[in-house]
Amino acid sequence: MLDNLPITVSSLLTRFWKSISLTWLLTIFETVLMALIPLFIGFAIDGLLENNVENFIHLIALMFGLLFIAVCRRAYDTRVFGSIRVELGKTLVQRSQQLATSTLNARMGMARELADFLEEQAPELMTSFIQLLVSAIVLYSFHPTLAITAASAAFVMMAIYSLFHKRFYRLNSVYNQQEEKQVDILASKKSNRIKNHLLRLRKLEVSLSDTESIVYGLIFLILLSFVYFNLWFAASNIEVTAGKIFAVISYSWSFVEAALVLPITLQSWSRLNEIMARINNIEAGNPAISNSQSRQPS
């Protein structure tokens, strides 16, 4: 159990730090190996063009190492985070005796999202940071301008997301409030009430999706411009081989894929902030969250 700790991502890390640290360590190993693959492919291409298979053998060994670690990590993850979800459910039920069944049912699902974040989004964020770092270092090794362009694109991307953070938080707050009413609404057996509830959820989901689409579109436009520039700059200003031009494009695209994880993860964090504020308000002895509280991240 979480004892007297609030139900937050940080308290879960405190309570289960040993098991989570191991799975995250495996994630780091897997990510580093994955990030090295384009570079080793480039080396293998240049080696094979010169009838040298040594770098090709290194590439095969790297891929088998990646496969082994990836399989082990996934098997371990399922067991670790399954146990965390059980503890989350037990703790929430113990602390929520005064809540209506509908509200408790909704919050049980919300609380599981904290474990989902640690199992899925947090490793993805860790992976993206490593890929961004490796990509920037490799690009810098070819020419500093390539890395500077990457850093500039990342800065603009984060600025775009920051403009939408409050809207994500507000929409998730309203959506969660509506979800807490669902069991009671279904129990009423009133078709009009159920219909209005489902339409309300649909409207909120559309609003969230539209906001995500706008943010994704703006960020993807910035990152595509970065790839176009690096392709032009590498072809025009760097003495390249077939392997090198492949590595430049691969790491530029790897940077794009890693960078796109950041806004998705941050949007999940905006939702988690609202969820943590909502489920921990129980401890304050006030199961109803005021509008002013639901608008502030915890």
Side-chain angles (χ1 to χ4, degrees):
M1 300 288 281
L2 292 174
D3 300 321
N4 294 321
L5 294 173
I7 302 176
T8 64
V9 170
S10 60
S11 67
L12 291 178
L13 287 172
T14 300
R15 172 66 177 81
F16 301 100
W17 70 270
K18 289 184 179 179
S19 52
I20 293 176
S21 295
L22 179 55
T23 187
W24 283 3
L25 184 62
L26 292 173
T27 298
I28 292 173
F29 286 151
E30 180 182 346
T31 302
V32 170
L33 293 179
M34 182 71 75
L36 290 174
I37 284 180
L39 185 62
F40 275 68
I41 290 176
F43 291 154
I45 290 173
D46 288 342
L48 291 173
L49 290 175
E50 297 175 359
N51 296 318
N52 185 341
V53 299
E54 182 179 353
N55 289 331
F56 182 68
I57 294 173
H58 292 164
L59 174 63
I60 293 174
L62 177 69
M63 289 183 171
F64 272 103
L66 173 63
L67 176 63
F68 176 77
I69 291 178
V71 171
C72 291
R73 181 183 68 82
R74 283 160 177 77
Y76 181 68
D77 279 1
T78 303
R79 291 160 174 78
V80 169
F81 292 102
S83 298
I84 291 175
R85 290 185 183 94
V86 170
E87 293 301 317
L88 269 172
K90 288 164 57 180
T91 301
L92 188 60
V93 170
Q94 184 184 60
R95 300 180 185 182
S96 309
Q97 299 299 317
Q98 77 277 26
L99 289 182
T101 301
S102 180
T103 302
L104 177 58
N105 177 71
R107 293 188 183 185
M108 287 279 287
M110 294 176 199
R112 289 176 63 88
E113 293 186 35
L114 274 66
D116 293 343
F117 180 86
L118 290 172
E119 181 180 10
E120 299 169 10
Q121 281 79 36
E124 285 178 359
L125 183 61
M126 192 184 310
T127 297
S128 70
F129 274 123
I130 294 173
Q131 288 179 332
L132 288 172
L133 181 61
V134 172
S135 297
I137 291 173
V138 173
L139 290 173
Y140 186 88
S141 71
F142 289 119
H143 198 285
T145 300
L146 300 176
I148 292 172
T149 306
S152 300
F155 177 80
V156 174
M157 178 192 69
M158 296 300 292
I160 290 173
Y161 175 79
S162 66
L163 297 175
F164 289 86
H165 169 73
K166 289 184 178 179
R167 177 170 174 80
F168 278 126
Y169 188 91
R170 180 178 59 81
L171 288 172
N172 276 297
S173 176
V174 178
Y175 185 87
N176 288 337
Q177 287 177 352
Q178 191 66 31
E179 271 202 324
E180 289 184 348
K181 305 172 185 176
Q182 181 161 285
V183 171
D184 286 342
I185 291 173
L186 294 176
S188 72
K189 307 293 185 180
K190 296 179 180 178
S191 58
N192 285 339
R193 191 180 177 194
I194 294 173
K195 177 182 176 181
N196 290 336
H197 167 70
L198 296 176
L199 288 174
R200 177 64 170 160
L201 288 178
R202 177 186 178 277
K203 182 179 179 180
L204 292 168
E205 288 167 351
V206 169
S207 296
L208 277 166
S209 177
D210 288 347
T211 304
E212 291 171 1
S213 298
I214 292 171
V215 172
Y216 183 87
L218 291 173
I219 288 174
F220 200 63
L221 179 62
I222 296 298
L223 294 175
L224 283 180
S225 300
F226 151 73
V227 173
Y228 296 151
F229 175 84
N230 274 12
L231 176 59
W232 167 81
F233 188 88
S236 305
N237 298 275
I238 301 175
E239 184 178 347
V240 294
T241 64
K244 285 183 179 179
I245 196 66
F246 174 83
V248 168
I249 299 307
S250 294
Y251 278 99
S252 294
W253 188 250
S254 178
F255 187 92
V256 169
E257 291 179 325
L260 287 174
V261 172
L262 296 180
I264 296 173
T265 305
L266 290 172
Q267 194 263 328
S268 297
W269 183 248
S270 296
R271 173 170 172 78
L272 285 184
N273 273 325
E274 201 285 329
I275 288 174
M276 288 185 289
R278 181 174 297 272
I279 63 179
N280 286 297
N281 195 59
I282 299 170
E283 270 82 310
N286 180 12
I289 295 181
S290 68
N291 290 333
S292 61
Q293 286 174 309
S294 66
R295 292 172 185 270
Q296 296 297 323
S298 62

